[in-house]
Each structure stands twice: as structure tokens, then as C-alpha cells.
Amino acid sequence: MKTPKIGLFGLGCVGQGFYDLSQLQTPSAVPGKIVVKDPIKKRNADVSLLSFDKDEVLADEDTNLIVEVIDNSADAYSIVKTALSAGKNVVTANKKMIVENLPELMALQEKTGAALLYEAGVCASIPILRTIDSYFSQEPISTIRGLCNGTSNYILSAIYNRGWDYAVALAEAQRLGFAESDPTLDVESYDALYKLIILTLHGFGVLLKPDDVFNYGISNIQAPDIKFAKASDYKIRQVAQAYKTAAGKISLWVTPQFVSPSDPLYHVENEFNGITIDAEHSGTQFFSGRGAGSYPTGAAVLSDVHASLAGFKYRYEKYKSNNGLIPTDTTEIEVYLRTPNEKIFEQISLRNAESHGRNFVTGSIRLAELKRLKPLLEKEKVFLASLPFRQEHSGTAMAGKEELKKVSV
Ligand SMILES: NC(=O)c1ccc[n+]([C@@H]2O[C@H](COP(=O)([O-])OP(=O)(O)OC[C@H]3O[C@@H](n4cnc5c(N)ncnc54)[C@H](OP(=O)(O)O)[C@@H]3O)[C@@H](O)[C@H]2O)c1
């Protein structure tokens, strides 16, 4: 093995966490250079390591591993592409950049033999990608469900447990550093969607684009929704899920979801993340851990750095096997809709619709129809949640409302 020489891009939340942990624990992972942007900023790092010129590191032939943890996905793609093209291995935490460029990034790895690892980009400290890619490389998975966004989970936990309004819970998440000043990607569920797309690639071998998948955020949640959940002993969580239908297709969606106490995700609170995997022989596995933060994410980056130094690469086995799984959005799910303007129910056709009062209704609807209705639902500030998930083998409805208590709000 060549002597490791690591170039680190970014010394923010994740970069600093990785840098501190590499110094504390593993001299072989200490970066030889750190590229940042702002020349004025004070840093908790040896100043002789700092550089403001990306080419100083990318063009250095001895640098054989790039750790990319910057906050700009276009710049990140340029750095990662240049590094992989030069045969350098790369570790990144940037799920948005990965999802936007997956076909190119996989082709580059294939062409140059360099490896790209991104464990930290999916649920930070939870070792889920290497587990799915390696341990489950041969075993069919039927379902992956995850609470993949710590900000949303913190907000939903605070609303449910402390009785706060959405705006108060969001402000507290921002004060604690869990949420960005612009929280759109988190609360509108795009961050969870990116992670689900990566999980689906490794777990099912199916490569999708964000636009292919119905996702809906948590920002319209209000007290009546919590009242509805509590009446049936449910909690509300932002769940990203992918499952294999009986017809051999793959169905994905990300929405708020009512979860019951028998669901492991019910017990994942605050900024924590959780994932369940159902596999053919192993049964149900549940993983939980910190989904964000300097040291939890830095630890995942450090782990990837060591895996990379030891020669680890993702196998993309299920993707390469052409297993015939194709996505479908004809799946029907059971949903709860609450709107401030009940007139819009005239434009939404639900099967088995059941009214629970003037402003809210439950019933079944296809994912394709939800995608079509999304602009209307968002414009009218509708709160939408799917009903509790049930693993069925009919390949159609995947949520159940048999436990719903009658409640009017
Ligand atoms: N924060 C988390 O808990 C977490 C968890 C999982 C994944 N991630 C992902 O990790 C990545 C980094 O997030 P973060 O929270 O650490 O961001 P951050 O705190 O905002 O830090 C970003 C760093 O990137 C540097 N930077 C930005 N553009 C650059 C460029 N073109 N060249 C060199 N350096 C550049 C900044 O430089 P200056 O210091 O000079 O401004 C800063 O040091 C993101 O992709 C994020 O999605 C974050």
C-alpha cells in the first residue's frame, strides 16, 4: 500500500470533527493539507496545513486520498470528479452532490479504479451503507425504512413531547445547530429523499432521480394532527421508505407517517436517526444512532478513510446484477390529509375516503397521483401523512388504518 497522504477539503462542522478525531486517534489519517475558502477565519488547526488553492492538493501526485466535506455541491462535484479522474480515492459526506451525479461517479470509479465512499452522507454515524452494500450484497431486501433527517425528527419530537408549535420547534432546532438558517432541504424532506435514493441504489440495485419519487415535508403540521396521532397512540415521524412489491417492482416515498409503538422508528427521538431493513433470511434489523453533528459525522468520515486505506470499495453488486427490479409509482398508499380549506377535497379523489371532521380525511391514493397533486397540496398548506406501514405482499396498499381511533379535530 502507498503511504497515505490525505487532502482535506472543508474545515467546518464535519471537517473539524474529522480533523480532531484523526489527531486524537489515528496519525495515519491526519490530513497533510486542508483546503478552505475564507483566509480571515480563525481555525482550530495547524496553520501550516491550510491552503486556499484546490489545485495545490488536487494536482499533487503524492496525495492519494481526498476527503471532501465542503458545503457547496457544485464545487464538491468538481473536486470529487478531478480527484477520481486522477485515480485518487475520495471520501465525501455530500449526499446532494452524490445523488445529482451518481451515474457519472459510478462510471468514473469503474474507469479509473479509484474508490468513492460516502457513509457519512447517509445517517452520519449509523454504519448503514457498508452494511447494505457488503453484508446484504447477496441477500434480497424487501424493505428499507428510515428516519434519515435529524432536524425533522428533532422538530417532530419537540412538537409531540413538549406541545410546541412548528415555528418554535424549528427555531430551537436552529439555535441548537441542528437546522440550517434555510431549513428547506431538511423540513421539506429533500435531504431524506437524497439518502433514500442512495440506500435504494445499494439495497435494491435501482438508480432513481429525486424527481422520480414523491416526497412531502413536515412544515404544515399543526396541533390537530398531533391530537389525531395521540388518539390512536401514534407518533408522527418523517419516514423515507423503499419496498419491493409482490409484482417485483420497487416503490419509494418520503412523507410524514403515523407510527405505532410496535414500530422501532416510534422510539427514535430528537436528532437521532433510525433505519429498519427487512431482508429475506435475516428478518428485520434495526439501526439507530446520531444522524448529524461534528463528531458523529467526523467519526463516519474517519471510518471511511480507514476503510479506503485498507482497499475497501462499494460493490454495487445488486445494481450490477441487473436483477430486473423496476420502480413503480402506481402503488396505492393510505394517507391522512388535513387542510385549512376543505374545498380542495373536491380536487382530490381518494378511494375508501373517510371524513373525520370538516377539514380532514383519510383514504387511499396512488403515489403518481400524489406527485401530480403536490403543488396544490403545498400551495394550500395541506398537512399530509401516510398511515402506519404494514408489510403486505399484495404489492398494492402498504399502510393500514385498522387501529385508527375516531377523532374529530
Ligand atoms: N453538519 C452535519 O452534521 C452533516 C452531517 C452529514 C453530512 N453533512 C454534509 O457534510 C458536508 C459539510 O457540511 P458542514 O456542516 O461541515 O458544512 P460547514 O460547517 O458549512 O463547513 C463547510 C466548509 O467548507 C468550506 N468550503 C466551502 N466551499 C469551499 C470550497 N469551494 N473550497 C474549499 N472549502 C470550501 C468552508 O470554508 P470556510 O471555513 O473557509 O468558510 C467550510 O470550512 C455537507 O455536504 C453536508 O451536507 C453534514
Side-chain angles (χ1 to χ4, degrees), residues 9-15 35-38 41 43 69-72 75 93-95 120 291-293 297:
F9 283 77
L11 195 62
C13 176
V14 179
V35 185
V36 283
K37 241 167 75 170
D38 183 345
K41 224 186 240 181
R43 315 274 175 184
V69 282
I70 71 170
D71 56 349
N72 170 319
D75 289 356
N94 194 327
K95 56 262 162 184
T297 315

Side-chain angles (χ1 to χ4, degrees), residues 5-8 29-34 48-50 57 63:
K5 187 170 177 196
I6 297 171
L8 170 63
V30 174
K33 268 289 166 214
I34 305 173
S48 70
L49 297 182
L50 296 180
V57 172
T63 299

